[in-house]
Amino acid sequence: MTYSIALVPGDGIGPDVVHEAVEVLDAIGDRFGHTFNYVELIAGGCAIDQTGEPLPPETLEAAKECDAVLLGAVGGPKWETLPGNLRPERALLGLRAGLGVYANLRPAALMPQLKAACPIKDEVLIASNHEGKAAFDLLIVRELTGGIYFGERGRSADGNSAHDTETYSKPEIERVLRAGYIAARGRRKQLCVVDKANVLESSRLWREVAAVVAKDYPDVATSYLYVDNCAMQLIRAPGQFDVIVTSNLFGDILSYEASVLTGSIGMLASASMGDPASGTGKKATMGLYEPIHGSAPDIAGKDLANPLATILSAAMLLRHSFALEKEAKTIEKAVDAVLDAGYRTKDIASRGDAAAAAKEKIVGTKEMGQRVLEALSQA
Ligand code: NAD
């Protein structure tokens, strides 16, 4: 089969990590007889430099024409002083809204090889794990095209006050909840709605809608948690969570917190999906795939970025947009094998465990990508 993939490398470490993921996709294509045609597009700071706009209309139009989109990251200090509507991060919002990808799936699991990079003690992990293991495996489903990131915002005439608005409609809440329930059915069948319903009216609407939608999924156990408590529970007992469904802002923050538990933000992949069957042609569902991390200006150009989150995002792309499960699994197995063999970028190196550290080989972005390619041939 031939597929077209829009590549949006972006800024900072974005191009480096996307480059490694593309090499992996090409190797998969060779092995399984698929052709991936790439359409390279600009968005973010690089687009501002070239066109004056963070998301040139041609980028969105071309992305829509492709079968899936793989994005690196955007932003950086160079563009930080621009007005809000001209900042690189606007490109993310524009792409997500323009592609209609409202359900952002962010899996966060502790891989056994990275236990020494997880800051939580074994006994804390074991206490909440359903199998009594020092592990956790959760999925954050973040609403991606609504809420405060898209709400009305502004400054008062004198510039001394500012506001951002959290607005959600029932259909917006319902569709992301359904995405969460569908995901939960394929997992441990537990779904936790995370909100701030003790204070926010929009959160109370989330609960109202959830109470109705939950009836359609009687096989899934539904629970509710305030976001402040959830932030605490993620550290105190991460194993208690299966699927968390939450708003755009809360999902953004909680997934960064969850990433630390997995060892590093450099490990967390994501898939942003639209309505099932929203795609055209070969694509069953429009999907935007990206690591959850940003452009990491502090390590950009230093060969320090962990490319695994982007490589794993490419695996999610094959699974969710192209239904290529075997191919996706092959990538995941290769990543597993590389970690088994002790290769680590600096961010996932063991902390304070000398025995574990002695078995590790610290490598840069490029070598990590090469190791995954080598492992692919045996996976
Ligand atoms: P960040 O995620 O870029 O970096 C946070 C920390 O994590 C940094 O110390 C960084 O070095 C480290 N890190 C991130 N990715 C890593 C990787 N793959 N390997 C190893 N270490 C990694 O967040 P930030 O510093 O708050 O933001 C930097 C810029 O990125 C800002 O302009 C921000 O707006 C933007 N941003 C973009 C996205 C996106 O494109 N999806 C997401 C978040 C932030």
Side-chain angles (χ1 to χ4, degrees):
M1 282 284 264
T2 301
Y3 301 90
S4 62
I5 301 178
L7 294 181
V8 189
D11 310 311
I13 63 171
D16 300 342
V17 292
V18 166
H19 174 80
E20 300 308 321
V22 167
E23 298 232 309
V24 167
L25 282 170
D26 283 341
I28 287 286
D30 287 347
R31 170 145 165 211
F32 290 92
H34 308 298
T35 304
F36 300 121
N37 292 324
Y38 304 105
V39 180
E40 189 146 340
L41 303 171
I42 53 167
C46 60
I48 295 171
D49 290 348
Q50 288 179 46
T51 69
E53 299 180 71
L55 183 63
E58 310 81 62
T59 292
L60 180 57
E61 286 318 307
K64 281 184 184 168
E65 293 302 312
C66 289
D67 298 324
V69 183
L70 181 66
L71 184 133
V74 302
K78 181 175 175 192
W79 305 282
E80 253 168 30
T81 51
L82 291 171
N85 61 340
L86 285 178
R87 287 186 53 152
E89 293 77 7
R90 279 277 134 171
L92 294 176
L93 303 186
L95 264 177
R96 292 165 179 170
L99 296 172
V101 289
Y102 56 82
N104 182 212
L105 314 183
R106 299 186 154 195
L110 180 57
M111 300 177 82
Q113 304 94 325
L114 297 187
K115 228 157 60 55
C118 169
I120 308 284
K121 289 184 199 135
D122 273 10
E123 56 265 36
V124 174
L125 295 172
I126 288 166
S128 66
N129 183 272
H130 61 292
E131 291 171 329
K133 293 183 182 160
F136 62 88
D137 178 2
L138 59 93
L139 171 71
I140 296 177
V141 180
R142 166 188 173 195
E143 198 292 323
L144 202 61
T145 55
I148 200 163
Y149 290 0
F150 287 87
E152 205 270 314
R153 61 172 61 86
R155 291 269 179 123
S156 60
D158 64 6
N160 289 336
S161 73
H163 66 277
D164 297 273
T165 322
E166 174 91 342
T167 307
Y168 271 113
S169 67
K170 283 185 175 178
E172 280 177 312
I173 301 167
E174 177 174 343
R175 64 187 184 177
V176 72
L177 279 167
R178 289 196 186 280
Y181 277 107
I182 290 166
R185 277 190 163 159
R187 297 174 47 97
R188 299 194 306 279
K189 299 190 171 58
Q190 294 167 33
L191 184 142
C192 181
V193 179
V194 172
D195 58 34
K196 190 70 186 161
N198 49 346
V199 179
L200 301 178
E201 196 54 37
S202 53
S203 286
R204 287 191 273 274
L205 187 65
W206 270 75
R207 287 208 180 192
E208 234 173 87
V209 175
V212 176
V213 174
K215 293 195 180 115
D216 291 341
Y217 305 89
D219 50 323
V220 177
T222 304
S223 59
Y224 300 87
L225 212 56
Y226 298 139
V227 65
D228 39 358
N229 190 9
C230 180
M232 183 176 78
Q233 297 296 335
L234 272 173
I235 306 286
R236 206 189 63 80
Q240 72 184 284
F241 295 109
D242 180 17
V243 175
I244 289 172
V245 185
T246 190
S247 65
N248 204 338
L249 174 67
F250 296 160
D252 193 0
I253 297 169
L254 292 174
S255 55
Y256 257 55
E257 182 187 355
S259 80
V260 176
L261 308 182
T262 68
S264 165
I265 196 161
M267 292 303 298
L268 252 64
S270 86
S272 306
M273 315 297 300
D275 277 331
S278 61
T280 54
K282 286 185 295 291
K283 57 180 185 242
T285 299
M286 175 46 94
L288 166 69
Y289 301 85
E290 52 181 317
I292 79 156
H293 61 72
S295 58
D298 53 332
I299 57 168
K302 297 182 180 164
D303 196 38
L304 283 174
N306 183 346
L308 294 181
T310 315
I311 290 171
L312 292 170
S313 298
M316 291 184 91
L317 181 156
L318 297 180
R319 172 174 293 124
H320 293 293
S321 277
F322 301 164
L324 297 176
E325 180 61 30
K326 197 159 36 122
E327 290 81 343
K329 279 245 165 65
T330 304
I331 296 179
E332 288 160 355
K333 271 200 218 154
V335 168
D336 230 34
V338 168
L339 295 174
D340 276 343
Y343 294 104
R344 303 280 187 274
T345 41
K346 216 169 151 193
D347 56 307
I348 48 173
S350 295
R351 299 187 188 101
D353 181 340
K359 293 187 205 132
E360 292 171 359
K361 295 157 219 146
I362 307 299
V363 296
T365 312
K366 292 194 194 80
E367 185 171 349
M368 186 55 107
Q370 283 309 306
R371 295 291 171 190
V372 175
L373 282 180
E374 281 166 27
L376 269 182
S377 56
Q378 282 133 45

